[in-house]
Amino acid sequence: MSILITGGAGYIGSHTSVELLNAGYDIVIVDNFSNSKPEVLNRIKELTGKGFKFYEVDVLDKDALSQVFSENHIEAVIHFAGLKSVGESVAMPINYYYNNITGNLILAEVMAKHNVKKIVFSSSATVYGMNNISPLTEDLPLSTTNPYGSTKLMGEQIFQDIYVSDNEWSIALLRYFNPIGAHESGRIGEDPKGIPNNIMPYITQVAVGKREKLNVFGDDYDTHDGTGVRDYIHVVDLAKGHLKAVEKIMGTKGVKIYNLGTGIGYSVLDLVKNFEEATGVKVPYVITKRRPGDIAACFSDPTKALKELNWKTEKTLKDMCKDSWKWQSNNPKGY
Ligand SMILES: NC(=O)c1ccc[n+]([C@@H]2O[C@H](COP(=O)([O-])OP(=O)(O)OC[C@H]3O[C@@H](n4cnc5c(N)ncnc54)[C@H](O)[C@@H]3O)[C@@H](O)[C@H]2O)c1
C-alpha cells in the first residue's frame, strides 16, 4: 500500500515525502518538474535512506496517471501538484485554471476509476479573502481576489461536491498559512525559479548577495509596526500536519477542513529582525508602496487541527530563519 504524492518534487511535497518515508510509509511520487528539479529526488533518498517510485507524469495526462494507479497499490493521495504564484495567476489565468482545476478533475476521475477515494488537498489561507478578521477559523465565509485563490476555492468546492455524490470519499482540505524554512539538514528547501514570489526566498537571496535589497510593501498598515502580518509556519511542521491528515482520512469518511498555521502573526520587519538575529547576516530593505490585494494581517486559529488531528507546530520563527538560511547558503544556486 502506498501514498501517491502529486507534486512531490516541489517545496512542500519534498518535505512531506521525507516525513512520510521516515514514518514508514511507502510512497509514489508524480511530478512534471514544471517548478522543480530531479535532484530533489536524490536528496529525499539520501535523507531517508529509503527508495520510492517516481513517475515524470503530468497530472493532466489522464492515461499516464491512470497507468501509475494500475502499476501501484495506491491507498490515498496527497495532491500538491499545482501552480502557486498569485502574481503569475493574474497574468496567466488560463494556465492557472487549466492546470489547477483540470488537474483536480482528472486526478479525481482517475482515482474514482481505480476505487481510491482518500485524498488530502493543498488549499490555502488565501481562500479567506480580504474581509475576515484574524485569527481565522475554518467556518468563516470564503472569497478570493485573484485566479490562484479562485483555483483553491474551486478545488475545495470540487472535492466537497464529489463527497456529496459519493459518501465513500474521505477528503482533507488543508489551508496552509505561510510556509517558510527548510529541512534542518540544509539538503532540501524552497528553490524558486526566477524572482521569488514569496518573502523568505527573497530574504535569503538578499542575504546571500544574489539580490540587492528586500522590498517591504507598505509600512502604513494597521499593525504593530505598520508592515503586513502573516502566520509563518515551518515547512517541516506543515509536512508533519500531512501525516496527521493522512492518518485521519484512513479512518473516517467525509470532508474535513483544517487550518495549518501557528496561530501567531509576525510582521515583515519581525521576520527580518529574527532572520538577522538567527543568522548574523544583515538584510538591507527598502519600504515601497503597498502591493494591491495585500491585507494588513492574516493569521490562523489552529485549534481545530489540534483538537481533531492532535497536531500543532513545534518550531519557532528563529528555527524557520536558521533553516532557510542553511538551505540557501549551502545551495546558493538551488538544486
Ligand atoms: N508554498 C506556499 O506558500 C503555499 C501556500 C498555500 C498553498 N500552497 C499549495 O501547496 C501546493 C504545493 O506548493 P509548493 O510550495 O510545494 O509548490 P511547488 O511549486 O514547489 O510544488 C508544486 C509541484 O507540483 C508540480 N506540478 C505542477 N503542476 C503539475 C502537473 N500538472 N502535473 C505534475 N506536477 C505538477 C511542480 O513541478 C512542483 O514540483 C500547491 O498546490 C500550492 O498551491 C502553497
Side-chain angles (χ1 to χ4, degrees):
M1 292 291 235
S2 301
I3 310 287
L4 175 68
I5 306 184
T6 74
Y11 173 46
I12 306 170
S14 56
H15 289 81
T16 303
S17 297
V18 166
E19 296 305 320
L20 284 165
L21 288 166
N22 283 341
Y25 286 94
D26 287 327
I27 65 167
V28 174
I29 295 182
V30 162
D31 204 296
N32 66 357
F33 295 129
S34 58
N35 197 36
S36 51
K37 303 210 185 95
E39 172 59 16
V40 70
L41 303 173
N42 299 329
R43 306 273 178 106
I44 296 171
K45 284 182 193 144
E46 170 200 307
L47 285 176
T48 60
K50 298 204 174 131
F52 52 87
K53 273 207 201 168
F54 171 74
Y55 293 85
E56 186 171 346
V57 158
D58 194 310
V59 169
L60 302 176
D61 183 343
K62 197 189 289 181
D63 293 340
L65 190 61
S66 191
Q67 189 66 24
V68 174
F69 281 80
S70 299
E71 289 177 12
N72 299 280
H73 198 155
I74 307 288
E75 195 177 8
V77 178
I78 306 181
H79 181 35
F80 292 108
L83 301 175
K84 65 162 179 177
S85 157
V86 169
E88 198 178 66
S89 79
V90 174
M92 302 195 294
I94 298 171
N95 293 30
Y96 270 68
Y97 286 114
Y98 188 63
N99 193 69
N100 292 5
I101 300 298
T102 316
N104 291 337
L105 297 175
I106 290 176
L107 174 63
E109 194 182 348
V110 170
M111 287 176 67
K113 183 177 135 199
H114 292 269
N115 205 28
V116 178
K117 296 184 176 176
K118 296 178 171 55
I119 186 165
V120 175
F121 173 64
S122 298
S123 187
S124 165
T126 191
V127 299
Y128 290 113
M130 308 268 293
N131 300 323
N132 292 309
I133 306 292
S134 293
L136 301 165
T137 49
E138 287 84 349
D139 52 359
L140 287 168
L142 307 177
S143 63
T144 61
T145 53
N146 57 72
Y148 167 71
S150 299
T151 69
K152 290 297 166 190
L153 190 51
M154 287 179 200
E156 289 199 5
Q157 189 65 52
I158 287 167
F159 287 109
Q160 307 222 36
D161 289 342
I162 289 172
Y163 174 72
V164 171
S165 76
D166 177 355
N167 291 177
E168 287 301 305
W169 280 79
S170 181
I171 296 163
L173 308 175
L174 303 182
R175 295 181 182 152
Y176 312 155
F177 281 69
N178 293 66
I180 61 170
H183 193 267
E184 63 180 8
S185 63
R187 297 295 287 159
I188 58 172
E190 187 170 9
D191 183 20
K193 287 188 174 159
I195 299 172
N197 298 296
N198 291 341
I199 188 165
M200 185 51 102
Y202 210 105
I203 288 179
T204 58
Q205 290 193 5
V206 170
V208 85
K210 204 164 154 183
R211 300 191 187 276
E212 197 192 333
K213 55 186 181 303
L214 174 72
N215 293 307
V216 178
F217 300 112
D219 66 350
D220 55 353
Y221 286 105
D222 184 15
T223 61
H224 63 274
D225 60 19
T227 65
V229 163
R230 296 291 179 272
D231 184 343
Y232 298 102
I233 171 170
H234 196 295
V235 66
V236 172
D237 278 333
L238 183 62
K240 288 181 174 161
H242 289 75
L243 251 74
K244 297 288 193 177
V246 165
E247 283 168 22
K248 186 80 179 174
I249 61 167
M250 292 299 187
T252 51
K253 287 177 183 155
V255 183
K256 311 275 186 319
I257 304 176
Y258 299 108
N259 285 338
L260 296 185
T262 63
I264 305 168
Y266 286 105
S267 73
V268 176
L269 295 184
D270 291 335
L271 185 59
V272 170
K273 183 166 161 277
N274 273 271
F275 184 88
E276 291 182 343
E277 285 171 6
T279 65
V281 183
K282 276 276 181 219
V283 180
Y285 67 85
V286 59
I287 306 286
T288 59
K289 63 178 192 316
R290 289 182 180 197
R291 207 167 42 173
D294 276 351
I295 53 174
C298 171
F299 53 94
S300 66
D301 178 340
T303 312
K304 191 175 173 207
L306 176 60
K307 264 198 207 142
E308 295 187 18
L309 297 179
N310 191 25
W311 171 89
K312 65 176 170 48
T313 59
E314 285 166 2
K315 295 188 182 267
T316 64
L317 191 61
K318 285 239 164 54
D319 296 330
M320 304 180 211
C321 293
K322 195 167 49 67
D323 293 340
S324 290
W325 179 236
K326 187 167 184 188
W327 154 251
Q328 177 74 66
S329 49
N330 287 353
N331 306 268
K333 295 190 176 130
Y335 288 109

PDB file of all heavy atoms in Angstrom, residues 180 232-234 237 262 266 274 313-323:
ATOM      1  N   ILE A 180       7.518  28.588   5.353  1.00  0.00           N
ATOM      2  CA  ILE A 180       8.913  29.010   5.106  1.00  0.00           C
ATOM      3  C   ILE A 180       9.814  27.977   5.783  1.00  0.00           C
ATOM      4  O   ILE A 180       9.334  26.982   6.323  1.00  0.00           O
ATOM      5  CB  ILE A 180       9.206  30.443   5.625  1.00  0.00           C
ATOM      6  CG1 ILE A 180       8.998  30.558   7.136  1.00  0.00           C
ATOM      7  CG2 ILE A 180       8.355  31.474   4.890  1.00  0.00           C
ATOM      8  CD1 ILE A 180       9.492  31.878   7.737  1.00  0.00           C
ATOM      9  N   TYR A 232       3.651  32.676   9.683  1.00  0.00           N
ATOM     10  CA  TYR A 232       4.703  31.859   9.063  1.00  0.00           C
ATOM     11  C   TYR A 232       4.766  30.508   9.755  1.00  0.00           C
ATOM     12  O   TYR A 232       4.769  30.428  10.981  1.00  0.00           O
ATOM     13  CB  TYR A 232       6.055  32.571   9.140  1.00  0.00           C
ATOM     14  CG  TYR A 232       6.027  33.876   8.382  1.00  0.00           C
ATOM     15  CD1 TYR A 232       5.911  35.100   9.049  1.00  0.00           C
ATOM     16  CD2 TYR A 232       6.062  33.876   6.989  1.00  0.00           C
ATOM     17  CE1 TYR A 232       5.839  36.292   8.341  1.00  0.00           C
ATOM     18  CE2 TYR A 232       5.987  35.076   6.278  1.00  0.00           C
ATOM     19  CZ  TYR A 232       5.873  36.270   6.965  1.00  0.00           C
ATOM     20  OH  TYR A 232       5.788  37.446   6.259  1.00  0.00           O
ATOM     21  N   ILE A 233       4.824  29.453   8.953  1.00  0.00           N
ATOM     22  CA  ILE A 233       4.865  28.086   9.512  1.00  0.00           C
ATOM     23  C   ILE A 233       6.065  27.351   8.920  1.00  0.00           C
ATOM     24  O   ILE A 233       6.309  27.433   7.700  1.00  0.00           O
ATOM     25  CB  ILE A 233       3.532  27.340   9.247  1.00  0.00           C
ATOM     26  CG1 ILE A 233       3.650  25.863   9.632  1.00  0.00           C
ATOM     27  CG2 ILE A 233       3.049  27.460   7.807  1.00  0.00           C
ATOM     28  CD1 ILE A 233       2.327  25.101   9.636  1.00  0.00           C
ATOM     29  N   HIS A 234       6.801  26.659   9.795  1.00  0.00           N
ATOM     30  CA  HIS A 234       7.960  25.887   9.319  1.00  0.00           C
ATOM     31  C   HIS A 234       7.465  24.747   8.425  1.00  0.00           C
ATOM     32  O   HIS A 234       6.544  24.015   8.798  1.00  0.00           O
ATOM     33  CB  HIS A 234       8.730  25.327  10.518  1.00  0.00           C
ATOM     34  CG  HIS A 234      10.114  24.859  10.170  1.00  0.00           C
ATOM     35  ND1 HIS A 234      10.341  23.792   9.330  1.00  0.00           N
ATOM     36  CD2 HIS A 234      11.350  25.313  10.532  1.00  0.00           C
ATOM     37  CE1 HIS A 234      11.648  23.604   9.201  1.00  0.00           C
ATOM     38  NE2 HIS A 234      12.279  24.530   9.914  1.00  0.00           N
ATOM     39  N   ASP A 237       6.999  21.396  10.084  1.00  0.00           N
ATOM     40  CA  ASP A 237       5.754  21.305  10.857  1.00  0.00           C
ATOM     41  C   ASP A 237       4.566  21.069   9.918  1.00  0.00           C
ATOM     42  O   ASP A 237       3.680  20.257  10.197  1.00  0.00           O
ATOM     43  CB  ASP A 237       5.500  22.602  11.644  1.00  0.00           C
ATOM     44  CG  ASP A 237       6.273  22.664  12.964  1.00  0.00           C
ATOM     45  OD1 ASP A 237       6.580  21.589  13.521  1.00  0.00           O
ATOM     46  OD2 ASP A 237       6.553  23.780  13.439  1.00  0.00           O
ATOM     47  N   THR A 262       0.530  28.512  12.755  1.00  0.00           N
ATOM     48  CA  THR A 262       0.986  28.526  14.159  1.00  0.00           C
ATOM     49  C   THR A 262      -0.014  29.231  15.060  1.00  0.00           C
ATOM     50  O   THR A 262       0.000  29.046  16.274  1.00  0.00           O
ATOM     51  CB  THR A 262       2.321  29.295  14.302  1.00  0.00           C
ATOM     52  OG1 THR A 262       2.087  30.669  13.927  1.00  0.00           O
ATOM     53  CG2 THR A 262       3.411  28.723  13.422  1.00  0.00           C
ATOM     54  N   TYR A 266       3.394  37.400  12.658  1.00  0.00           N
ATOM     55  CA  TYR A 266       4.619  38.207  12.719  1.00  0.00           C
ATOM     56  C   TYR A 266       4.629  39.162  11.533  1.00  0.00           C
ATOM     57  O   TYR A 266       4.196  38.795  10.429  1.00  0.00           O
ATOM     58  CB  TYR A 266       5.870  37.325  12.642  1.00  0.00           C
ATOM     59  CG  TYR A 266       6.164  36.540  13.903  1.00  0.00           C
ATOM     60  CD1 TYR A 266       5.908  35.175  13.976  1.00  0.00           C
ATOM     61  CD2 TYR A 266       6.702  37.174  15.020  1.00  0.00           C
ATOM     62  CE1 TYR A 266       6.185  34.449  15.139  1.00  0.00           C
ATOM     63  CE2 TYR A 266       6.980  36.457  16.178  1.00  0.00           C
ATOM     64  CZ  TYR A 266       6.721  35.104  16.225  1.00  0.00           C
ATOM     65  OH  TYR A 266       6.997  34.397  17.367  1.00  0.00           O
ATOM     66  N   ASN A 274      14.278  38.773  13.093  1.00  0.00           N
ATOM     67  CA  ASN A 274      14.559  37.407  13.540  1.00  0.00           C
ATOM     68  C   ASN A 274      15.584  36.730  12.635  1.00  0.00           C
ATOM     69  O   ASN A 274      16.420  35.970  13.107  1.00  0.00           O
ATOM     70  CB  ASN A 274      13.273  36.584  13.583  1.00  0.00           C
ATOM     71  CG  ASN A 274      12.568  36.727  14.912  1.00  0.00           C
ATOM     72  OD1 ASN A 274      12.819  35.983  15.850  1.00  0.00           O
ATOM     73  ND2 ASN A 274      11.704  37.726  15.019  1.00  0.00           N
ATOM     74  N   THR A 313       2.181  23.156  15.744  1.00  0.00           N
ATOM     75  CA  THR A 313       3.538  23.453  15.289  1.00  0.00           C
ATOM     76  C   THR A 313       4.493  23.412  16.483  1.00  0.00           C
ATOM     77  O   THR A 313       4.101  23.657  17.626  1.00  0.00           O
ATOM     78  CB  THR A 313       3.600  24.840  14.622  1.00  0.00           C
ATOM     79  OG1 THR A 313       3.172  25.813  15.573  1.00  0.00           O
ATOM     80  CG2 THR A 313       2.702  24.895  13.408  1.00  0.00           C
ATOM     81  N   GLU A 314       5.745  23.079  16.186  1.00  0.00           N
ATOM     82  CA  GLU A 314       6.749  22.992  17.247  1.00  0.00           C
ATOM     83  C   GLU A 314       7.894  23.975  17.050  1.00  0.00           C
ATOM     84  O   GLU A 314       8.596  24.309  17.983  1.00  0.00           O
ATOM     85  CB  GLU A 314       7.312  21.562  17.281  1.00  0.00           C
ATOM     86  CG  GLU A 314       6.320  20.606  17.910  1.00  0.00           C
ATOM     87  CD  GLU A 314       6.647  19.142  17.672  1.00  0.00           C
ATOM     88  OE1 GLU A 314       7.679  18.840  17.042  1.00  0.00           O
ATOM     89  OE2 GLU A 314       5.832  18.317  18.129  1.00  0.00           O
ATOM     90  N   LYS A 315       8.084  24.408  15.823  1.00  0.00           N
ATOM     91  CA  LYS A 315       9.285  25.206  15.533  1.00  0.00           C
ATOM     92  C   LYS A 315       8.999  26.709  15.643  1.00  0.00           C
ATOM     93  O   LYS A 315       7.881  27.157  15.411  1.00  0.00           O
ATOM     94  CB  LYS A 315       9.807  24.839  14.150  1.00  0.00           C
ATOM     95  CG  LYS A 315      10.282  23.390  14.119  1.00  0.00           C
ATOM     96  CD  LYS A 315      10.984  23.039  12.857  1.00  0.00           C
ATOM     97  CE  LYS A 315      11.407  21.599  12.828  1.00  0.00           C
ATOM     98  NZ  LYS A 315      12.771  21.390  13.324  1.00  0.00           N
ATOM     99  N   THR A 316      10.035  27.443  16.012  1.00  0.00           N
ATOM    100  CA  THR A 316       9.914  28.891  16.224  1.00  0.00           C
ATOM    101  C   THR A 316      10.278  29.651  14.941  1.00  0.00           C
ATOM    102  O   THR A 316      10.829  29.073  13.997  1.00  0.00           O
ATOM    103  CB  THR A 316      10.891  29.348  17.323  1.00  0.00           C
ATOM    104  OG1 THR A 316      12.230  29.103  16.827  1.00  0.00           O
ATOM    105  CG2 THR A 316      10.674  28.588  18.621  1.00  0.00           C
ATOM    106  N   LEU A 317      10.002  30.951  14.974  1.00  0.00           N
ATOM    107  CA  LEU A 317      10.365  31.791  13.833  1.00  0.00           C
ATOM    108  C   LEU A 317      11.888  31.764  13.609  1.00  0.00           C
ATOM    109  O   LEU A 317      12.354  31.761  12.467  1.00  0.00           O
ATOM    110  CB  LEU A 317       9.881  33.227  14.070  1.00  0.00           C
ATOM    111  CG  LEU A 317       9.948  34.152  12.856  1.00  0.00           C
ATOM    112  CD1 LEU A 317       9.082  33.659  11.710  1.00  0.00           C
ATOM    113  CD2 LEU A 317       9.558  35.580  13.226  1.00  0.00           C
ATOM    114  N   LYS A 318      12.644  31.698  14.707  1.00  0.00           N
ATOM    115  CA  LYS A 318      14.117  31.643  14.570  1.00  0.00           C
ATOM    116  C   LYS A 318      14.539  30.337  13.888  1.00  0.00           C
ATOM    117  O   LYS A 318      15.455  30.337  13.063  1.00  0.00           O
ATOM    118  CB  LYS A 318      14.786  31.756  15.947  1.00  0.00           C
ATOM    119  CG  LYS A 318      14.761  33.158  16.520  1.00  0.00           C
ATOM    120  CD  LYS A 318      16.176  33.689  16.785  1.00  0.00           C
ATOM    121  CE  LYS A 318      16.196  35.198  16.975  1.00  0.00           C
ATOM    122  NZ  LYS A 318      15.318  35.748  17.987  1.00  0.00           N
ATOM    123  N   ASP A 319      13.869  29.220  14.260  1.00  0.00           N
ATOM    124  CA  ASP A 319      14.170  27.942  13.579  1.00  0.00           C
ATOM    125  C   ASP A 319      13.935  28.086  12.075  1.00  0.00           C
ATOM    126  O   ASP A 319      14.714  27.597  11.254  1.00  0.00           O
ATOM    127  CB  ASP A 319      13.251  26.807  14.073  1.00  0.00           C
ATOM    128  CG  ASP A 319      13.450  26.464  15.538  1.00  0.00           C
ATOM    129  OD1 ASP A 319      14.576  26.627  16.028  1.00  0.00           O
ATOM    130  OD2 ASP A 319      12.462  26.024  16.186  1.00  0.00           O
ATOM    131  N   MET A 320      12.810  28.725  11.751  1.00  0.00           N
ATOM    132  CA  MET A 320      12.460  28.884  10.323  1.00  0.00           C
ATOM    133  C   MET A 320      13.554  29.672   9.610  1.00  0.00           C
ATOM    134  O   MET A 320      13.978  29.315   8.503  1.00  0.00           O
ATOM    135  CB  MET A 320      11.113  29.611  10.176  1.00  0.00           C
ATOM    136  CG  MET A 320       9.960  28.932  10.907  1.00  0.00           C
ATOM    137  SD  MET A 320       8.399  29.835  10.688  1.00  0.00           S
ATOM    138  CE  MET A 320       7.560  29.461  12.249  1.00  0.00           C
ATOM    139  N   CYS A 321      14.011  30.746  10.255  1.00  0.00           N
ATOM    140  CA  CYS A 321      15.036  31.609   9.639  1.00  0.00           C
ATOM    141  C   CYS A 321      16.363  30.861   9.502  1.00  0.00           C
ATOM    142  O   CYS A 321      17.008  30.876   8.449  1.00  0.00           O
ATOM    143  CB  CYS A 321      15.246  32.854  10.496  1.00  0.00           C
ATOM    144  SG  CYS A 321      13.801  33.931  10.522  1.00  0.00           S
ATOM    145  N   LYS A 322      16.741  30.192  10.592  1.00  0.00           N
ATOM    146  CA  LYS A 322      18.018  29.467  10.612  1.00  0.00           C
ATOM    147  C   LYS A 322      18.028  28.387   9.523  1.00  0.00           C
ATOM    148  O   LYS A 322      19.003  28.241   8.786  1.00  0.00           O
ATOM    149  CB  LYS A 322      18.165  28.821  12.007  1.00  0.00           C
ATOM    150  CG  LYS A 322      19.528  28.320  12.380  1.00  0.00           C
ATOM    151  CD  LYS A 322      19.622  27.990  13.870  1.00  0.00           C
ATOM    152  CE  LYS A 322      18.528  27.141  14.462  1.00  0.00           C
ATOM    153  NZ  LYS A 322      18.341  25.785  14.100  1.00  0.00           N
ATOM    154  N   ASP A 323      16.934  27.645   9.409  1.00  0.00           N
ATOM    155  CA  ASP A 323      16.894  26.535   8.445  1.00  0.00           C
ATOM    156  C   ASP A 323      16.806  27.036   7.008  1.00  0.00           C
ATOM    157  O   ASP A 323      17.402  26.440   6.101  1.00  0.00           O
ATOM    158  CB  ASP A 323      15.728  25.589   8.781  1.00  0.00           C
ATOM    159  CG  ASP A 323      15.964  24.856  10.109  1.00  0.00           C
ATOM    160  OD1 ASP A 323      17.131  24.790  10.550  1.00  0.00           O
ATOM    161  OD2 ASP A 323      14.986  24.368  10.718  1.00  0.00           O
TER     162      ASP A 323
END
